[in-house]
Amino acid sequence: MSAVKRDTYTPQSLLAVAVQVFNERGYDGTSMEHLSKAAGISKSSIYHHVASKEDLLRRAVSRALDGLFGILDEEHARVGRAVERLEYVTRRMVEVLTAELPYVTLLLRVRGNTDTEQWAMERRREFDHQVAELFEAAVADGDLRADVEGRLATRLLFGMINSVVEWYRPEVRGADGPAVADAVVQLAFHGLRTDT
Amino acid sequence: MSAVKRDTYTPQSLLAVAVQVFNERGYDGTSMEHLSKAAGISKSSIYHHVASKEDLLRRAVSRALDGLFGILDEEHARVGRAVERLEYVTRRMVEVLTAELPYVTLLLRVRGNTDTEQWAMERRREFDHQVAELFEAAVADGDLRADVEGRLATRLLFGMINSVVEWYRPEVRGADGPAVADAVVQLAFHGLRTDT
């Protein structure tokens, strides 16, 4: 038995605990019992804050999605040459990903059949679609190479960006979020080679 | 009850079924009962072919690791300028990944506490380490940019390569393994931009 502590949670701090458990056990593999144990409060205390496990998931992936969609509203994502906007969005995606690591990790792993999971996957596709359109505009401007098919290229770009969740840990020195974002932009847009 | 069919499995065809179940349910979440149902043969028939669930895992990740380490023995990975060898290894990694998709997918997802999982993770680190050495040699030759820290750059390169397992499906036309491998090499080494 874990000790039951006094419930001093806010919705935000309870969400942080839940997201950690979801990422460790998987959303499907997490019960309210697991959440209760991890938070150290009773299930009924949890229900005081949120309606259900799915409600916690919705709040968590919303936080990640709000961060990502917020990028597209920023001035540098809306104004200017498409290639510059795409570089800006790429950089900011890595910054949001590293700043909101557990929430984005959960979003990227969502694959399921509940309404919330379906909705999250749909929103993620919509985001990817908007970035892909920016990509196509930059190709049309002649600023991005056209010899690699656009959908394949955006998938590889997203693959590089999203892979950061696999190893990025904010406590490790020498690679903070903005430094990782710089590296992603340099490699994705200019490549590894010196002679290109 | 699923129908029990006559056991016409070879170790290889039984392994293919097991890997699919491992990838769907996760290794920890898979029981011999699940494997028996998916294969349509009894548990004792499975034990006729393999010693244990962990034995199946070992065979599956060995197949992926043999494919990857085999690359490093190929002539173009051993002879020539480091940057050319690294490009060759990158291309071949994508080809092995797409050709052995379920096995490499399983290898990339292994995170566990059994001896076999620990061993697989250790072998994977050893492979990554050998590729990272090739990377450093190419930087030392002046062929790869030195402004992005080597460990970060190799992580991003591996991130792009490994992300292919998330969406690659051999049945989709227009992006076969070698075409995806070409795209990865072009983007990783030469970047998305036309002006670089």
Side-chain angles (χ1 to χ4, degrees):
Chain A
M1 286 289 290
S2 55
V4 173
K5 55 180 184 180
R6 201 164 66 84
D7 177 9
T8 56
Y9 283 102
T10 62
Q12 286 69 31
S13 63
L14 183 61
L15 191 61
V17 173
V19 169
Q20 192 178 347
V21 181
F22 290 157
N23 281 331
E24 282 168 13
R25 309 187 65 96
Y27 176 69
D28 283 339
T30 302
S31 65
M32 285 304 265
E33 188 68 32
H34 293 131
L35 295 177
S36 161
K37 275 192 184 159
I41 60 175
S42 68
K43 281 195 267 186
S44 62
S45 295
I46 293 182
Y47 285 119
H48 174 73
H49 295 288
V50 293
S52 61
K53 187 178 90 160
E54 195 170 342
D55 185 22
L56 282 164
L57 179 67
R58 189 186 50 76
R59 291 176 194 221
V61 296
S62 290
R63 179 160 159 172
L65 287 164
D66 289 350
L68 291 172
F69 277 99
I71 296 169
L72 302 179
D73 290 331
E74 292 171 12
E75 186 181 354
H76 293 296
R78 291 185 294 108
V79 178
R81 212 169 163 81
V83 68
E84 303 294 344
R85 290 155 59 204
L86 182 64
E87 278 201 14
Y88 179 79
V89 168
T90 299
R91 179 184 308 280
R92 292 284 297 125
M93 279 178 71
V94 178
E95 287 174 359
V96 166
L97 186 154
T98 52
E100 303 284 353
L101 187 66
Y103 301 92
V104 179
T105 301
L106 184 64
L107 175 67
L108 293 177
R109 290 186 187 164
V110 159
R111 270 172 198 77
N113 295 311
T114 64
D115 286 349
T116 300
E117 288 167 283
Q118 290 292 321
W119 166 80
M121 288 166 73
E122 182 52 45
R123 292 287 286 160
R124 223 192 112 187
R125 274 193 293 270
E126 172 59 26
F127 180 82
D128 291 3
H129 179 69
Q130 291 199 33
V131 179
E133 283 191 339
L134 202 46
F135 190 99
E136 294 299 342
V139 173
D141 288 344
D143 291 330
L144 292 188
R145 51 198 302 153
D147 60 341
V148 176
E149 192 265 319
R151 205 159 65 116
L152 178 52
T154 49
R155 276 174 164 161
L156 294 174
L157 174 62
F158 274 103
M160 183 188 275
I161 294 169
N162 292 340
S163 73
V164 172
V165 303
E166 300 297 329
W167 54 265
Y168 182 78
R169 296 296 169 266
E171 63 275 15
V172 177
R173 285 181 308 168
D176 60 353
V180 176
D182 265 347
V184 170
V185 170
Q186 285 303 314
L187 294 195
F189 289 86
H190 303 279
L192 290 165
R193 274 195 184 248
T194 48
D195 62 357
T196 54
Chain B
M1 286 290 290
S2 54
V4 172
K5 54 180 184 181
R6 203 165 63 87
D7 177 9
T8 56
Y9 283 102
T10 62
Q12 286 70 30
S13 63
L14 183 62
L15 190 61
V17 173
V19 168
Q20 191 178 348
V21 181
F22 289 157
N23 281 331
E24 281 168 13
R25 308 189 64 97
Y27 176 68
D28 283 341
T30 302
S31 66
M32 285 304 265
E33 189 66 33
H34 293 131
L35 295 177
S36 160
K37 276 192 183 159
I41 59 174
S42 67
K43 281 196 269 185
S44 62
S45 293
I46 294 182
Y47 285 120
H48 173 72
H49 294 288
V50 293
S52 61
K53 186 177 91 159
E54 195 171 341
D55 185 22
L56 282 163
L57 179 68
R58 188 185 52 74
R59 291 177 194 219
V61 295
S62 291
R63 180 159 158 173
L65 287 163
D66 288 350
L68 291 172
F69 276 98
I71 296 168
L72 303 179
D73 290 332
E74 291 169 14
E75 186 180 355
H76 292 295
R78 290 185 293 107
V79 178
R81 211 168 164 83
V83 69
E84 304 293 345
R85 290 156 59 204
L86 182 64
E87 278 201 13
Y88 179 80
V89 169
T90 299
R91 179 184 309 278
R92 293 285 297 126
M93 279 178 72
V94 178
E95 288 175 357
V96 166
L97 186 153
T98 52
E100 302 284 352
L101 188 65
Y103 301 92
V104 178
T105 301
L106 183 65
L107 176 67
L108 294 177
R109 290 186 186 163
V110 160
R111 271 172 196 75
N113 295 309
T114 63
D115 286 350
T116 299
E117 288 168 282
Q118 291 292 322
W119 166 80
M121 290 167 72
E122 181 52 45
R123 291 288 286 160
R124 222 191 114 188
R125 274 193 293 272
E126 172 58 26
F127 180 81
D128 291 4
H129 179 69
Q130 291 199 32
V131 179
E133 284 192 338
L134 202 46
F135 190 100
E136 295 300 341
V139 173
D141 287 344
D143 291 328
L144 292 187
R145 49 198 303 152
D147 61 341
V148 176
E149 191 263 320
R151 206 160 64 116
L152 180 50
T154 48
R155 276 175 164 160
L156 294 174
L157 175 62
F158 275 103
M160 183 187 275
I161 295 170
N162 293 339
S163 73
V164 172
V165 303
E166 300 296 330
W167 56 265
Y168 182 78
R169 297 296 169 265
E171 62 277 14
V172 177
R173 284 181 309 168
D176 60 353
V180 176
D182 265 348
V184 170
V185 170
Q186 286 303 313
L187 295 194
F189 288 87
H190 303 279
L192 289 165
R193 274 195 183 250
T194 47
D195 62 355
T196 54

